[in-house]
Amino acid sequence: MHSNHLLVEEPIRMASILEPSKASFFPAMTKIVGTLGPNSRSIEVISACLKAGMSVARFDFSLGDLEYHQETLENLKGAIKSTKKLCAVMLDTAGPELTVVNKSEQPISLKADETVTLTPDEGQEASSEVFPINFDGLSKAVKKGDTIFIGQYLFTGSETTSVWLEVDQVKGDDVVCVVKNSATLTGSLFTLHAAQIHIDLPTLSDKDKEVISTWGVKNKIDFLSLSFTRHAEDVREAREFLSKLGDLSQTQIFAKIESEEGLTHFDEILQEADGIIFSRGNLGIDLPPEKVFLFQKVVVHKCNMAGKPAVVTRVVDSMTDNLRPTRAEATDVANAVLDGTDAILLGAETLRGLYPIETISTVGRICAEAEKVFNQDLYFKRTVKFVGEPMSHLESIASSAVRAAIKVKASVIICFTSSGRAARLIAKYRPTMPVLSVVIPRLKTNQLKWSFSGAFEARQSLIVRGLFPMLADPRHPAESTNASNESVLKVALDHGKASGIVKSHDRVVICQKVGDASVVKIIELED
C-alpha cells in the first residue's frame, strides 16, 4: 500500500487525534465476540456487555459442565430481553486439546533447568515433578529437543504464568522435560501445546459430539467454533454431524486455525468453512513470532475476498488483570481492523478477567476509530479486481449498492433478504455506513409441522462487519411485486431513526428483489 493511499495522513486526522471520540448507537462496525464465564455470567454483567458492544456470546466447553453453561445461557436470554440487544450464541468445542488436571488446585511452581515428567497416568497428583495429561500417545509423538508449552486456559505470553518445556527423553509412556523458564501455574486445568507436532486425536471428540447433540440442539446454536481444525475434511465431518441434528443443519461452522497443520491446509479449509477464527494463542507458539503478523494479514485478506467472516483472537491479554490495554495492544486491535477483520474475539479477558465490560467498551472504541481511517476506496477496487468479470448477478448488485451509497453519501444501506446472503455480499465490499439487514422470515415445513425461518439468518449477521440485522414481520414478503414494499421499509427506517443513524434529508440506499429482478434504489428522507 502506497503512503498516498492512507487516509490517516490527511491533515484533518492529525487535528482530530485530540478530539474526544463521539458515542453512537452502534459502538463499532467491527463485531465483538465475548466469552462468558465466572466473571461474566450474571444477568447484570451480560446486560452491560451487550450495551458495551458484544454481539456474539461464546461458550467454551473446555471448562464447565452442561448445567453451568445452561445457567449462563439462561442469564444471557434474560439480558437480551431486558436490553433488547440481539446476541448470537457460539459453542466452542474442546477438540483434541491436551490438558493437565490439577486436582488440588494449589499453585505449582517450576524452576528453570529442573525437570518435570509428563505422564498419561491421570491418577497421579499434579506437582512440580509430575504432570498427568489426558493423552497416552504423547511419548510416541515427540522426540528429544521438541518444544512443549503449558499454561492456564490459553497462553498469556507471560513468562511467569506459562512454562516452556524442552523434551529431554522418552521413558515408556512418560516424557521427561527440562523446564526452560521459572513460572507458577495456577488453577485446576492447564492447556498443553506441543509445537509443530501432529496429535493423533479426532478434531470432533466424543465429548464434543455429546455437548453438541444435547446442549447445542436444545439451544439452537448459531455458530460452532471447531477447535484445532487441521484439514477441510474436519469441517465436512462436522457439517455432516450437524446435518443430522435437525435445526443445527443451519448452524455455521467457524474453523479455528491454531496449528501449523491447519495453516498448511488453510485454502481448502476456507472453502469448506463458513468463517475462520485465527487463534493467535496456540498458533503464535507454532510460528516464529516474526511470522505471526504475516499470517494474520494473509488469512484476513483471503477471508475478505471469499466474503467469509475473519475473527482474530488474543488482542488485549493484559486487560484480564488491568483496566487499560498496553499501547502495543491498542495498536494491535486497530491494525486488525485496518487489515479487514470482521470480529475481535475476547477469551480470558471476559471469561475470568476483572474488567469484562470495560474491555468490550475499550476494544469497541479502538475499532470505531480505526474504521474512520480504513481505506475503503482502495479495498473496494481491490475486491472488484479480485472478483473479476463477469460477476455473478448477486455480486454485481451488492457491489453496485455499496458504490451508489458511497457516491451519494448515504447514511445507511437497507437490504431486504431471506437467506442473509445478499446482505453478507454487501458487507463484503466494506461500505463506510452501516448495513441494516432486514431478514424476512420464510414459512417452511418438514411435512409434520410448519415453522418460520429467519431467526438463524438474523443472528448469524452479528459476526459480520458492518451488518446490523432486524427480523421483519413474516406477513411481509422479501420479494415484492412493486418497487416500494412500503410497510417493511417504514419499519426499517423507523428502526434507523430510533437508532440515530437516519435523520431527515438523509439519503438511504435500498437493495431488494422486485419480482424476478434485483433493484438498487436511492431515496431521500423528508422531514
Side-chain angles (χ1 to χ4, degrees):
M1 185 184 288
H2 298 296
S3 61
N4 61 335
H5 284 141
L6 283 170
L7 297 186
V8 76
E9 291 198 350
E10 294 177 7
I12 191 170
R13 286 304 304 158
M14 187 60 75
S16 68
I17 291 171
L18 299 177
E19 291 176 2
S21 301
K22 294 177 182 176
S24 67
F25 178 80
F26 298 120
M29 304 276 265
T30 306
K31 302 305 174 67
I32 297 175
V33 181
T35 306
L36 301 185
N39 280 5
S40 55
R41 60 192 302 260
S42 68
I43 292 180
E44 294 74 24
V45 173
I46 297 174
S47 296
C49 287
L50 292 173
K51 290 175 182 175
M54 180 180 78
S55 62
V56 180
R58 172 175 170 259
F59 292 78
D60 184 358
F61 277 84
S62 298
L63 301 163
D65 57 20
L66 297 178
E67 188 178 337
Y68 178 88
H69 288 296
Q70 189 62 44
E71 187 179 304
T72 306
L73 182 57
E74 295 306 321
N75 287 345
L76 172 64
K77 290 176 182 176
I80 291 170
K81 190 174 181 180
S82 65
T83 61
K84 294 182 171 56
K85 299 275 187 184
L86 203 56
C87 186
V89 171
M90 174 181 283
L91 189 161
D92 197 300
T93 63
E97 186 171 66
L98 307 187
T99 56
V100 176
V101 177
N102 179 20
K103 294 176 184 175
S104 70
E105 298 192 21
Q106 293 297 313
I108 298 174
S109 294
L110 298 160
K111 300 293 181 186
D113 300 325
E114 292 184 353
T115 60
V116 62
T117 300
L118 307 181
T119 177
D121 181 2
E122 294 188 75
Q124 293 200 45
E125 284 282 341
S127 68
S128 57
E129 288 83 33
V130 178
F131 277 171
I133 62 173
N134 65 336
F135 178 50
D136 59 9
L138 187 66
S139 61
K140 299 179 184 67
V142 300
K143 62 184 184 304
K144 184 178 174 66
D146 282 345
T147 300
I148 294 173
F149 291 86
I150 297 176
Q152 186 193 45
Y153 183 58
L154 280 177
F155 312 100
T156 63
S158 167
E159 290 298 325
T160 59
T161 60
S162 57
V163 68
W164 166 27
L165 307 176
E166 186 177 285
V167 176
D168 183 52
Q169 59 178 309
V170 175
K171 287 185 175 180
D173 289 338
D174 293 348
V175 177
V176 181
C177 301
V178 176
V179 179
K180 304 298 286 184
N181 68 289
S182 297
T184 299
L185 306 184
T186 58
S188 59
L189 191 74
F190 314 138
T191 304
L192 182 151
H193 182 80
Q196 300 184 3
I197 293 165
H198 173 74
I199 300 300
D200 192 20
L201 287 171
T203 301
L204 208 57
S205 67
D206 289 340
K207 181 191 172 187
D208 290 331
K209 288 179 178 178
E210 183 186 348
V211 167
I212 294 166
S213 57
T214 53
W215 193 90
V217 169
K218 177 182 178 181
N219 298 298
K220 299 181 180 178
I221 56 169
D222 303 295
F223 304 109
L224 178 72
S225 168
L226 192 61
S227 295
F228 295 95
T229 304
R230 294 166 285 189
H231 301 271
E233 188 58 33
D234 296 338
V235 182
R236 285 191 285 269
E237 287 176 4
R239 200 176 300 284
E240 186 181 352
F241 179 70
L242 291 179
S243 69
K244 298 172 182 174
L245 298 174
D247 285 330
L248 295 199
S249 60
Q250 295 182 70
T251 297
Q252 290 188 350
I253 298 174
F254 274 58
K256 206 171 176 188
I257 308 298
E258 44 192 327
S259 68
E260 190 183 58
E261 206 170 350
L263 164 58
T264 305
H265 302 102
F266 179 77
D267 287 341
E268 62 186 61
I269 290 170
L270 177 60
Q271 278 192 308
E272 290 293 330
D274 296 301
I276 296 290
I277 297 175
F278 173 39
S279 182
R280 303 191 310 178
N282 287 339
L283 193 60
I285 292 167
D286 262 14
L287 290 175
E290 66 272 18
K291 296 287 188 181
V292 176
F293 88 96
L294 194 57
F295 182 48
Q296 175 172 316
K297 290 183 182 297
V298 172
V299 164
V300 173
H301 172 71
K302 285 177 178 283
C303 289
N304 288 167
M305 295 305 104
K308 294 184 177 183
V311 183
V312 169
T313 71
R314 307 304 301 277
V315 289
V316 285
D317 286 339
S318 71
M319 289 197 77
T320 304
D321 301 308
N322 298 291
L323 199 49
R324 285 169 64 94
T326 65
R327 273 74 67 191
E329 287 173 335
T331 304
D332 189 23
V333 173
N335 279 328
V337 173
L338 296 177
D339 285 344
T341 298
D342 284 84
I344 301 291
L345 190 153
L346 301 173
E349 303 98 321
T350 55
L351 176 98
R352 56 182 171 82
L354 302 179
Y355 309 102
I357 303 156
E358 291 84 353
T359 301
I360 292 168
S361 180
T362 300
V363 169
R365 289 198 306 273
I366 297 169
C367 289
E369 283 296 319
E371 288 158 9
K372 292 175 186 175
V373 295
F374 178 74
N375 196 331
Q376 197 279 336
D377 181 56
L378 182 66
Y379 177 92
F380 185 92
K381 289 174 182 174
R382 186 176 63 178
T383 309
V384 169
K385 184 178 179 181
F386 178 87
V387 171
E389 295 177 355
M391 279 185 173
S392 69
H393 176 80
L394 201 55
E395 189 106 34
S396 175
I397 290 294
S399 59
S400 298
V402 175
R403 187 188 296 274
I406 289 167
K407 293 289 184 186
V408 303
K409 291 184 167 51
S411 57
V412 69
I413 299 173
I414 296 176
C415 176
F416 296 99
T417 179
S418 289
S419 67
R421 187 169 167 236
R424 286 195 299 273
L425 267 181
I426 290 173
K428 172 182 174 178
Y429 288 88
R430 294 288 187 261
T432 53
M433 65 291 296
V435 180
L436 276 185
S437 172
V438 183
V439 180
I440 317 282
R442 281 179 175 165
L443 191 61
K444 61 178 184 176
T445 181
N446 62 1
Q447 306 304 319
L448 295 174
K449 64 177 182 178
W450 290 88
S451 62
F452 280 110
S453 69
F456 264 111
E457 291 81 359
R459 291 193 302 268
Q460 285 169 344
S461 299
L462 291 166
I463 204 166
V464 181
R465 180 160 157 179
L467 273 195
F468 298 92
M470 59 176 287
L471 197 57
D473 189 321
R475 291 170 295 184
H476 300 299
E479 298 175 17
S480 176
T481 52
N482 61 71
S484 59
N485 207 352
E486 293 295 342
S487 54
V488 189
L489 179 57
K490 185 178 185 305
V491 171
L493 289 173
D494 287 345
H495 178 68
K497 288 173 184 174
S499 307
I501 58 170
V502 179
K503 58 185 184 301
S504 298
H505 305 297
D506 276 1
R507 289 172 178 173
V508 174
V509 168
I510 298 157
C511 185
Q512 68 180 126
K513 288 199 79 173
V514 180
D516 293 329
S518 296
V519 174
V520 174
K521 64 179 182 178
I522 304 162
I523 64 170
E524 188 166 329
L525 302 185
E526 299 173 352
D527 287 326

